[in-house]
Amino acid sequence: MGEQFIEYKVDGNVALIGLNRPNKRNALNEALVGELASAVERAGKEVAAAVIYGVGPAFSAGLDLAELAARLQAPTEQSFRPGRSIWHSTFDLIARGPIPFIAALHGATIGGGLELAAAAHIRVADETTYFALPEGRRGIFVGGGGSVRIQRIIGYSTMADMMLTGRVVSAEEGRAIRLVQYVVEGGTVLSKAIEIAKRVGENTPQTNWQITNVLPRINDMSHDDGLFAEYLNSRMPRPPASLERLQEFLEKQATPLR
Ligand code: 1HE
């Protein structure tokens, strides 16, 4: 793929996608986001689950502010052409694609970096992780789906507080406001995320797709529409693996819940 800013490895049934621009704290420029889109598409075709992590001291310092400043300083015709944001299309490939994504967070997870993490289905942070939405400080606004995804995760008031004040939120506070599901010791986040991804990857692809695609859409619906959509979903043909798994349990061959 000729990657400059993304590293891609496969470990069993899991893809490991690394943001690899450590000297700029994995600030997200257009080239990086484009490479990320290719890596995400590739993972969807060849593995059962994926982990996104940051190389170097941070997960990601968010939007590349130098690139935006250059664009604002010297706008081109392209700058005014309407179209879909590459951030939206790429982060949607993660959030609404065929496989689950686990974000492994450490250090700065800021602005667009947090928007990227919010596109994943499970977020694991180590204790060095800190979150901020300094858009207010920088004179800009979220643009990577944060007003939809982060707001739905933490609610308007908490997001408004983070954006208006630009304050830093620790890993533990991140767990309290439901930004992350796990907080682990420094240095162990990647192995924990891989362990989770491998376990998730053991589920049937259909169930994983329902959890990552049906469930969040139902979350956006009214009570009545949600129940209707759940009913329709229950009428979808089930793959042979569903019956095999039920039989495994009934024949006392299933691995006990752990
Ligand atoms: C960057 C960026 C960046 C670092 N764009 N170059 N994001 C922010 O407002 C966060 C801005 N960054 C920081 O506050 C700090 O860099 C950190 C707290 C993340 C890390 O601090 P530190 O001391 O480890 O590193 P550093 O020395 O500040 O940065 C190392 C280099 O990365 C340095 O470049 P150098 O050439 O001087 O070595 C920094 O300039 C560069 N760097 N962060 C460009 N973000 C779609 S809308 C999304 C809106 C947002 O994301 S707003 C949040 C933007």
Side-chain angles (χ1 to χ4, degrees):
M1 277 199 292
E3 298 90 351
Q4 187 185 358
F5 298 126
I6 292 289
E7 60 179 32
Y8 184 97
K9 289 176 254 172
V10 172
D11 176 359
N13 62 351
V14 167
L16 308 179
I17 299 175
L19 311 175
N20 189 14
R21 202 188 174 207
N23 59 336
K24 297 287 181 188
R25 305 301 181 260
N26 299 325
L28 305 168
N29 61 11
E30 280 218 14
L32 188 155
V33 176
E35 285 180 30
L36 177 61
S38 307
V40 168
E41 274 200 71
R42 180 176 167 191
K45 287 182 190 136
E46 62 187 28
V47 290
V51 172
I52 299 189
Y53 63 96
V55 176
F59 176 73
S60 170
L63 174 70
D64 186 321
L65 298 172
E67 195 177 66
L68 177 61
R71 268 210 307 274
L72 296 184
Q73 218 155 29
T76 61
E77 221 178 283
Q78 189 69 25
S79 319
F80 300 104
R81 186 164 297 166
R84 195 168 189 212
S85 142
I86 184 178
W87 285 51
H88 283 179
S89 55
T90 303
F91 294 4
D92 253 14
L93 280 177
I94 295 169
R96 301 283 161 98
I99 58 167
F101 277 81
I102 320 297
L105 310 176
H106 76 291
T109 302
I110 295 181
L114 179 51
E115 293 183 276
L116 168 57
H121 306 97
I122 299 176
R123 282 164 293 284
V124 189
D126 82 11
E127 58 204 12
T128 69
T129 310
Y130 59 98
F131 304 101
L133 292 172
E135 282 80 355
R137 303 263 134 184
R138 309 283 179 241
I140 54 176
F141 191 66
V142 281
S147 56
V148 178
R149 290 199 189 92
I150 299 174
Q151 181 162 216
R152 286 197 171 133
I153 295 168
I154 67 177
Y156 168 75
S157 302
T158 306
M159 184 164 178
D161 170 38
M162 286 180 71
M163 289 193 74
L164 288 169
T165 65
R167 76 181 177 88
V168 162
V169 165
S170 68
E172 270 309 332
E173 188 184 349
R175 176 155 58 182
I177 63 174
R178 300 197 230 171
L179 260 185
V180 297
Q181 285 65 56
Y182 303 82
V183 178
V184 298
E185 237 177 82
T188 66
V189 73
L190 190 53
S191 58
K192 179 68 179 176
I194 293 171
E195 177 197 317
I196 293 170
K198 286 189 171 167
R199 181 178 171 150
V200 166
E202 290 168 5
N203 297 334
T204 66
Q206 189 190 52
T207 302
N208 277 343
W209 180 81
Q210 289 165 324
I211 295 166
T212 56
N213 282 267
V214 178
L215 197 56
R217 283 183 171 87
I218 290 180
N219 192 37
D220 293 343
M221 291 177 190
S222 67
H223 177 102
D224 192 46
D225 289 347
L227 290 181
F228 187 67
E230 187 188 88
Y231 169 76
L232 289 181
N233 176 73
S234 73
R235 293 292 157 141
M236 231 168 60
R238 294 193 172 92
S242 297
L243 180 58
E244 281 163 28
R245 283 168 188 240
L246 298 177
Q247 281 170 336
E248 240 173 45
F249 174 77
L250 295 170
E251 289 159 15
K252 308 212 180 299
Q253 300 299 317
T255 319
L257 294 179
R258 50 200 152 105

